[in-house]
Amino acid sequence: MLASQKDFNNAVSQVKLLKEDPGNEVKLKLYALYKQATEGPCNVPKPGMLGFINKTKWDAWNALGSLSKEAARQNYVDLVSRLSASSESPSPEAPAADRKQPESDSLVVTSEDGITTIRLNRPAKKNALTTQMYRDIIAALQAASKDESAITVLTGSGDYYCSGNDLTNFTHLPAGGLEEMARSAAALLRDFVNCFIDFPKPLVAVVNGPAVGISVTILGLFDVVYATDRASFHTPFSHLGQSPEGCSSYTFPKIMGSSKAAEMLLFGKKLTAQEACAQGLVTEVFPDGTFQKEVWARLKAYSKLPPNAMRISKQIIRNREKEKLHAVNAEESSVLRERWQSDECMNAIASFLSRKVKL
Ligand SMILES: CCCCC/C=C/C(=O)SCCNC(=O)CCNC(=O)[C@H](O)C(C)(C)COP(=O)(O)OP(=O)(O)OC[C@H]1O[C@@H](n2cnc3c(N)ncnc32)[C@H](O)[C@@H]1OP(=O)(O)O
């Protein structure tokens, strides 16, 4: 479900309470989304050259094209929520030693040689993502976006990269029951994926083994994906009674074409590392024996490149897609919220938990 009018009104009030000025670019974006959400697509005449400020505002509004009022309202609410969170986070440029450590040791964050590494560290459970790990990854990405490192890496400990969402997350029912669980999981999913969409520095996945579910879908939001030849890429959403997330319903068809994407996202076809590379999801595959050595040597060299140039180049490559990606993320999260309450999904999870099925 997209943000309600009430969520939107709250966000409009929240903007006035921001502790830090978000800067002109963001204010312009807020203005454009507000106009789109309240009046719909821009159909007023373009101001003349002399009204420079009005023309800039008109351009920003007009750039939203035919984005629906509902999607604009959602994007506005998401943007305000990110601004509120970052204005409450610790001071920028916090050196690595002062970085707030994750709540649990299932995530290890280190910073060295210009590279911040976020390592999934739950090898006995194939690095399945607990609710706390999603929160810790969000915090780690927010910190990495402001630290002094040039590049950020996500990788895993042990033989797996990540087995996706921890299916036991679904067994911790809150007081509000299944509906409340689905609502809060959808909100967490949206915040989690938004952090990848907005991440401002080069983001690299070092895929050290098989990858499942959300750890595969978000790869479309990374800048570079290096994989060992032992890796595989599996999105068994239909098997689980679920639907795609991580913006993969948009990025996968773009990356590999709609029929290859459908084989993965509808039928759960598992790709080898070589296949994923041939289809553009993976940048390069390395022999497992030399994977770590070769990849880290390369990343260390890249991390010495001028960081501002890399950030700006990433902005040019990614920025025009951001509004679209936020809208896709909102829609996918809302569809999943319904799916998680379906019998198909409940049966599939019960089946995994009772060990009847292995994907
Ligand atoms: C809030 C945001 C939601 C975002 C929505 C995300 C969706 C997804 O990510 S969908 C994908 C979910 N993942 C799966 O369906 C994978 C389930 N796991 C498996 O099929 C298998 O465990 C395997 C293929 C990943 C590995 O098989 P195998 O090598 O035989 O190893 P084990 O099954 O013995 O696993 C060891 C240990 O780890 C536990 N485990 C592995 N993955 C998960 C998981 N995703 N969730 C919970 N637990 C997992 C497994 O149960 C074993 O535990 P023990 O039996 O206690 O040793």
Side-chain angles (χ1 to χ4, degrees):
M1 202 166 52
L2 291 169
S4 64
Q5 185 63 42
K6 190 169 163 222
D7 296 333
F8 179 69
N9 293 343
N10 286 341
V12 172
S13 315
Q14 234 178 313
V15 166
K16 297 173 191 138
L17 303 175
L18 288 177
K19 290 182 194 133
E20 284 170 23
D21 183 330
N24 285 341
E25 199 183 328
V26 175
K27 283 198 270 193
L28 204 54
K29 185 174 276 181
L30 284 168
Y31 166 82
L33 287 170
Y34 179 86
K35 293 293 273 184
Q36 192 90 1
T38 52
E39 295 177 35
C42 175
N43 59 8
V44 299
K46 185 172 185 169
M49 290 306 286
L50 290 178
F52 177 73
I53 294 178
N54 285 340
K55 187 178 159 300
T56 308
K57 287 161 93 178
W58 185 93
D59 282 340
W61 182 12
N62 191 48
L64 295 180
S66 59
L67 186 72
S68 70
K69 278 185 170 182
E70 292 72 27
R73 198 159 67 187
Q74 178 69 58
N75 290 357
Y76 185 95
V77 169
D78 286 344
L79 179 54
V80 173
S81 134
R82 292 196 297 282
L83 290 171
S84 306
S86 68
S87 77
E88 277 156 21
S89 59
S91 63
E93 303 300 330
D98 295 343
R99 186 192 301 282
K100 186 174 171 296
Q101 283 306 310
E103 295 284 324
S104 82
D105 52 13
S106 299
L107 199 73
V108 176
V109 185
T110 50
S111 231
E112 206 183 338
D113 292 327
I115 304 174
T116 290
T117 303
I118 303 171
R119 182 180 297 277
L120 310 173
N121 188 40
R122 225 183 147 216
K125 299 283 180 187
K126 310 292 180 193
N127 296 324
L129 296 168
T130 61
T131 302
Q132 187 59 49
M133 285 166 80
Y134 288 107
R135 295 200 188 104
D136 284 341
I137 293 169
I138 291 174
L141 285 173
Q142 282 168 348
S145 71
K146 294 178 198 144
D147 71 14
E148 283 164 5
S149 65
I151 292 180
T152 300
V153 170
L154 184 67
T155 191
S157 298
D159 62 341
Y160 254 67
Y161 174 63
C162 174
S163 62
N165 191 36
D166 187 314
L167 296 173
T168 66
N169 289 342
F170 292 107
T171 59
H172 310 303
L173 276 191
L178 187 57
E179 201 178 330
E180 170 58 17
M181 187 277 295
R183 190 204 60 76
S184 67
L188 179 61
L189 172 65
R190 209 172 63 216
D191 289 349
F192 178 74
V193 175
N194 276 341
C195 279
F196 286 87
I197 297 173
D198 289 331
F199 194 71
K201 299 177 180 180
L203 185 60
V204 179
V206 172
V207 184
N208 56 296
V212 185
I214 192 165
S215 70
V216 178
T217 55
I218 54 169
L219 291 177
L221 302 172
F222 281 70
D223 301 299
V224 165
V225 178
Y226 293 138
T228 156
D229 58 10
R230 235 180 12 84
S232 57
F233 298 83
H234 193 196
T235 48
F237 299 125
S238 300
H239 299 69
L240 292 166
Q242 297 185 33
S243 51
E245 18 61 0
C247 293
S248 58
S249 63
Y250 177 71
T251 56
F252 279 26
K254 247 188 118 176
I255 292 170
M256 58 185 82
S258 52
S259 70
K260 293 287 185 193
E263 240 188 334
M264 279 191 86
L265 298 176
L266 269 55
F267 301 145
K269 183 183 179 197
K270 193 196 279 189
L271 301 189
T272 63
Q274 295 296 357
E275 286 167 339
C277 190
Q279 286 170 23
L281 185 63
V282 164
T283 314
E284 193 170 334
V285 180
F286 297 80
D288 196 53
T290 54
F291 176 62
Q292 298 288 347
K293 194 168 160 231
E294 284 193 63
V295 164
W296 289 105
R298 195 180 293 190
L299 289 174
K300 273 181 199 163
Y302 289 161
S303 72
K304 297 195 170 48
L305 292 167
N308 290 335
M310 289 196 284
R311 281 174 89 111
I312 286 165
S313 299
K314 173 162 179 169
Q315 248 178 38
I316 296 175
I317 296 168
R318 296 263 174 190
N319 269 11
R320 68 180 73 87
E321 286 277 68
K322 270 195 186 176
E323 291 301 330
K324 175 74 188 171
L325 290 169
H326 283 302
V328 171
N329 181 27
E331 191 190 351
E332 289 177 345
S333 304
S334 150
V335 171
L336 262 174
R337 178 175 169 177
E338 301 303 321
R339 283 277 88 213
W340 285 326
Q341 297 175 69
S342 70
D343 286 347
E344 284 183 347
C345 178
M346 283 298 116
N347 291 339
I349 288 164
S351 192
F352 171 77
L353 296 175
S354 65
R355 315 302 293 172
K356 277 193 284 204
V357 172
K358 201 156 266 184
L359 297 164

